[in-house]
Each structure stands twice: as C-alpha cells, then as structure tokens.
Amino acid sequence: MRAAPAARGRSRTRRGGRLLAPVAAALLLVPACQGSGDSRKDREPDPASIQWVRVPQEDTSYVFHGLRPLQVTATSTEFLVLGVPYRRTGGLYGSRDGRTWYETGPEAAFVDHVAATADGATLAGTAPNAGTTVPAVWRSTGKGKWGPAEILAGGGPSDEVLGLARGPRGSVVVAHDGGPFGEEQPSDDSYRGESLRLWTAGKGGGFGQPHVVACPAAPRLEPQVSVLADAHGFVVSAQCTDKAFTSKRVVLTSADGTTWKSRPELFRGELNGAGATGPRGSVLISHPESTDEEPGLYVSTFWSRGGEETWTAGEPMDVGRLPDQGVVPRKFQSVSGVSAVTGGYIASGRAFDALHGQPVGALWTSADGRRWTKAPTGKNLFHEVYGLDGAAELDGTVIALGVGAPPDGSEEPAPTRLWIGRYGARPALDRPSGLAPFVGTWSWGHGNIVIDPEGRFTYRWRLYKDCATEPAPCDNGPEWGGRATGKLTPAAGGVLRGRLETTNRPDEEGYRRNTVVELRRAPYSAVWMTVAGRPHGIFCAGGEADARCVAPHG
C-alpha cells in the first residue's frame, strides 16, 4: 500500500480520532454519467427499484478489513473508495464490478478527498515539497493511473484540505490555514491561521492563486466544509468555530471559480452537509446547528435544483414504516452521504433504533431530489451496521458501505460491510463452492500456501537459517527453506482437509509426513489453517497489504 510520507517538522493528526456529527461529515458523491434529456429520463429506472444483497464477509475483499470509509464514488470505468484502513494511513481503492478491489492512488501522497465524474477523477491532499508537505491535487489519466502532483500555489504546511468538488465547470479545492487539527494539537494561543482558502480550475485548466475568506478555527475543531460543483458553478459552505466556541457560517457561490459571492441567506441559514450533482440536477443537505439541549439532534432538509439556479426545499425525508427497524422521528435520523445515480439519487446515513438502543444503517432514494423514500432496513440487513457511509453506481451496479459495532472484548476492528444492488432484481453474487474459493496464493509474513484447482498444495515457510552459514534446508534470501506438499479435498462445513505427503522437516512437530492439514475460509478474503489439530494461523489473499498477515503467527 502506498503510505503517506512523513512530514518534516509537522504532525499530521488525522480526523479519524474524533467523532463528527452524523451529518457534518460532507461527502461529495458524484455520478458515473453525465447528460440530460427528457427522452432519457423516461427510460431511466427509479432508484427505489434497486434491490440489495449484502456481500458475505468471507467474499468481501481484504481491503475492507477494518476500513473506515470516508467517500464512495465512481467514474465511468471504476468505483473509488477512499478510507482509513485498520492501523494504517489513508488508502484509495478501485473496482470495476464492486467485488474485486485493488489499491490505487498516486505514490508519495496523503489523499484527503476524491471527486469523480464520468470523464475521470481528481484527488486532493498533501504532497512533499521543499522539505515539508503542502496542498496538492492529482488527476486521473486512466484506470488506476494518476498524473503527477500539482502543488497548489500559495499553499503552506498548515493548510488542511477539507473539501473537493469536480463538475461541468471545473474543480474547487477548499482548505484552512490553521491545521493540522485534532485532539492532540496544542490549545495555546500560538498562531494557527484563520482563513478558508479556495483554489479553482476551469475544466481541463490549472489551479491559480487561492481565494481567501475569513473563517476562525480552534486547533482541535476544524471547520465543517461542504463543497458542490454543478452546471451553475460552485457552492462552498463552512461552519467556523473559534477558540471561544463562537460559530460563524460561511456560504459562497461562484459561476466561474474566480468571482465569489457571499450568500448567507441560502438554505434558510442552516448548515450544509453532503451534496451531489448528476444528470437530473443537484442535491444538498442542510440542517440546523446543534443545541446544548439536544446535541447532535436536528432535522435534515433536502435542497435541489435542475436547470434553474434557485434552490428548492424538498419534502420531509421519509422515516420508514413499522415494524421495520430505525423508524423514529426525523431528528433521530441523519444523512451523511448523497450520490447521483441512474434515474435520480441515493442518500445514505443512519437512524436510531429505539428497540435496541443503537444506530442502524439507513438509505433513501429519490427520482427528483425532492421526494425521498426510505429503503427497508431489516430486509436489506442495514441494521448490521451503525450507519451507511456512502453509495455509488456504475453501469447499473450500485454499491454501499457501512461499519458495524466492534466485537466485544476483541482487538479486531469494527466490521466493514459491503452491499451490491441492481435495478429491479437482486444481483447474483455467484458464490463458488468446494475447492474454487481456496485456489490461489495465501500468505503471511513468513510463509505461504499455494493451492491449485485440483487441490494440490505447496506450503513454504521461513526457517530462520541462513544458507551462508548453515546447511540445507535453509533460507536463501527470498526463497524460504521450509517446504511441504500434499492434497486437499472438500469436507463438511466448507472445510478443506488433507495430509502432508512430502516434507523437508520430518522431525519437526507439525510438519511430519501424514500430518493432517485443514483450511477454513475467514472474513475479508483469508483462510484459517490448522495443522495436526492445532491452530496454525491466518493466511491472506492480500499478502503484505493485509495488516492481519504481516505480524508473526503465535
């Protein structure tokens, strides 16, 4: 995985350590296709017809093990998910079908935001420059390929990138010059910056000097930023809170990214959250500021616009129907992401489940951005996560991601779950059985097992013996000295069972000839291996990219 470079003289405490209000995390989710026309609208299916299937954990890609999703989007060729992996820095992952995933993103970068349209994607974050890290953007040059870092003019090491949008008229990056923010940042009176900085680029053009707007910020509380780019231009909203916890609301609009207007009257003076733009127009979410009496509780409002520049408030969001789970008043439901899909929009978020006293995932669909229907929670198993963090559509396939509760008393991370949907019919996940799911290479830090389609396997492991000083069998650089072979066959319960037929360590317990070997599938594309009836360890399809299989086995 591509790790972020260490910043010189700067601590980059990430926002993952602090819980944000459910609606305040603005995810700009954009569509996989652009265009318009009434004839096309007549042919497009209603997003309410999407039927969802939760992908079993064993079939879920290793990239989602412990991943905290931040943004879910798509171009015309691939899904993109930006998130924070378990015990690692941020990562960007791509997929063509929603099932098979790969790591993508530029080298030597710390990516904070991704924005995608049909013709490509833009990333924003920080990159090394002159001994420090400064704001930068990267543009896609093809599937899984990225151009060089474009350093944003006038950016400094304290600029924290907080928002990014890409649309028909170009792109906009929003940062604040008071970062980095976080719980571990100092709370003294040292200068931290007090301005939003907006960089814009016309479609295909370069980014110029930043437009600067006053926005106070406390070191531990970054401004909450929402960014939208559509056919009318750009909308940037921010809630700024200074060290005295005095709030300031900023709303700016621009038709060309050069001239900006302050528009405090928009959205009834409420704060903006998630937004999306697509063939049918744009949607933004607003909500009132939280109060001391009911912190974190507010009613979300959907705003939309199409060919006209004026924003129109939509109908109250649907709360669902009993006896489904998470059917509660609107102030106990929140939206964290909106995406444009074929035929309309999807909004993802959470609802409080009064029966079990915890939040559950929630999803709404709309054909026009004004009337929103809540999808069933129980039927779709959305209650297995605390919230849905985003959705996206590509060629009629839709994905959604959410994170559940961490296991009690376990060091394992909270489970990340993946849903796949299709318009009008439940997607067939094509789950292979027997030997097929086990075929391939499975590895951990000091060993691997390779299984062929007939069940023949070769197991190699490190002996910690240097061939330069010790006799064979020994480790010769990358070639590990331990070697055993055998054949596995399917057994009851989805297990493979076999015996070691050859071994070069016949006197070592666990590696003797005829020793029984068992393999069982584990969540997130891994297998558990048992040798001679004793747990031997977990082996991963992702190799070193999977944190579970880097640490030595016990």
Side-chain angles (χ1 to χ4, degrees):
M1 177 172 290
R2 300 171 175 86
R8 301 180 185 177
R10 177 184 179 188
S11 171
R12 288 188 58 81
T13 301
R14 308 315 303 164
R15 299 185 290 278
R18 179 168 58 83
L19 295 176
L20 300 178
V23 181
L27 305 179
L28 179 67
L29 303 176
V30 289
C33 56
Q34 301 285 344
S36 60
D38 291 339
S39 60
R40 178 175 180 178
K41 291 179 184 178
D42 293 338
R43 299 194 305 269
E44 288 176 341
D46 191 329
S49 71
I50 297 174
Q51 296 192 32
W52 298 91
V53 173
R54 186 206 60 201
V55 178
Q57 282 187 290
E58 291 82 5
D59 297 337
T60 303
S61 172
Y62 71 90
V63 307
F64 294 119
H65 176 247
L67 184 77
R68 183 170 63 87
L70 298 177
Q71 292 182 264
V72 184
T73 186
T75 67
S76 62
T77 59
E78 63 182 337
F79 291 108
L80 292 171
V81 172
L82 176 67
V84 179
Y86 182 51
R87 294 178 177 174
R88 299 182 65 184
T89 55
L92 182 69
Y93 308 97
S95 174
R96 184 65 183 85
D97 59 5
R99 298 293 303 279
T100 303
W101 292 80
Y102 47 85
E103 186 179 6
T104 184
E107 298 282 357
F110 201 114
V111 177
D112 292 301
H113 295 271
V114 56
T117 53
D119 56 355
T122 301
L123 308 177
T126 54
N129 186 55
T132 186
T133 56
V134 295
V137 297
W138 298 261
R139 308 188 207 207
S140 61
T141 57
K143 181 182 176 182
K145 299 179 181 179
W146 303 90
E150 301 174 39
I151 303 301
L152 296 177
S158 69
D159 282 309
E160 190 89 346
V161 177
L162 302 176
L164 166 69
R166 173 177 169 138
R169 297 195 178 191
S171 302
V172 59
V173 178
V174 181
H176 193 280
D177 62 354
F181 300 94
E183 295 289 343
E184 299 178 3
Q185 301 307 322
S187 57
D188 56 26
D189 293 329
S190 58
Y191 178 76
R192 301 291 304 220
E194 53 190 25
S195 301
L196 284 179
R197 295 149 70 74
L198 283 60
W199 286 271
T200 55
K203 195 172 181 64
F207 289 86
Q209 291 291 330
H211 177 76
V212 179
V213 180
C215 177
R220 297 184 181 180
L221 191 62
E222 68 189 32
Q224 301 302 306
V225 171
S226 172
V227 192
L228 182 80
D230 67 5
H232 299 285
F234 308 95
V235 179
V236 173
S237 307
Q239 181 187 20
C240 313
T241 307
D242 63 16
K243 289 180 288 186
F245 296 98
T246 301
S247 295
K248 175 185 178 181
R249 176 177 175 268
V250 174
V251 180
L252 302 168
T253 64
S254 176
D256 56 8
T258 300
T259 303
W260 291 88
K261 299 178 181 179
S262 176
R263 300 289 305 277
E265 77 283 0
L266 289 180
F267 314 111
R268 299 175 185 158
E270 294 185 341
L271 307 176
N272 286 123
T277 184
R280 297 197 171 189
S282 302
V283 170
L284 268 177
I285 306 298
S286 75
H287 60 89
E289 190 169 355
S290 181
T291 65
D292 294 335
E293 291 75 19
E294 292 186 310
L297 301 181
Y298 33 69
V299 176
S300 299
T301 299
F302 290 90
W303 298 81
S304 61
R305 68 180 180 184
E308 71 289 348
E309 186 176 356
T310 303
W311 292 94
T312 301
E315 296 180 3
M317 59 192 290
D318 179 17
V319 298
R321 286 154 290 284
L322 292 172
D324 197 11
Q325 295 176 259
V327 180
V328 289
R330 294 183 181 91
K331 68 179 181 179
F332 294 105
Q333 307 207 28
S334 62
V335 177
S336 56
V338 182
S339 58
V341 298
T342 299
Y345 307 89
I346 293 177
S348 52
R350 67 180 63 188
F352 182 75
D353 181 49
L355 181 61
H356 299 91
Q358 65 184 30
V360 294
L363 185 141
W364 295 264
T365 61
S366 175
D368 58 9
R370 299 182 182 183
R371 292 171 295 276
W372 293 81
T373 301
K374 190 179 182 186
T377 293
K379 172 185 174 183
N380 294 308
L381 305 180
F382 295 149
H383 62 280
E384 294 188 356
V385 293
Y386 276 175
L388 293 173
D389 297 291
E393 185 258 345
L394 173 61
D395 292 340
T397 295
V398 192
I399 65 169
L401 285 170
V403 178
D408 292 337
S410 172
E411 293 185 0
E412 275 289 294
T416 302
R417 306 307 301 264
L418 170 68
W419 280 262
I420 292 182
R422 296 286 296 180
Y423 290 86
R426 288 170 60 86
L429 294 186
D430 186 26
R431 298 196 69 195
S433 59
L435 283 167
F438 294 88
V439 173
T441 299
W442 309 85
S443 61
W444 66 288
H446 300 292
N448 66 39
I449 182 169
V450 180
I451 305 171
D452 71 15
E454 284 72 45
R456 304 294 309 183
F457 72 88
T458 299
Y459 176 43
R460 303 298 297 258
W461 67 95
R462 189 181 302 280
L463 296 175
Y464 302 99
K465 293 174 60 179
D466 188 348
C467 291
T469 58
E470 300 187 58
C474 53
D475 303 323
N476 187 11
E479 187 72 15
W480 299 336
R483 187 177 188 275
T485 65
K487 185 174 182 179
L488 297 161
T489 57
V495 173
L496 294 190
R497 184 176 294 117
R499 293 181 180 273
L500 298 184
E501 297 175 354
T502 69
T503 175
N504 64 355
R505 304 291 289 174
D507 299 326
E508 187 172 338
E509 185 179 5
Y511 298 104
R512 299 189 182 105
R513 192 166 178 265
N514 288 323
T515 296
V516 176
V517 177
E518 288 187 355
L519 269 72
R520 183 186 303 273
R521 298 188 71 196
Y524 305 105
S525 301
V527 295
W528 285 105
M529 184 173 178
T530 301
V531 179
R534 297 189 303 177
H536 193 69
I538 188 171
F539 291 70
C540 300
E544 293 183 359
D546 193 326
R548 294 174 295 175
C549 295
V550 174
H553 288 175

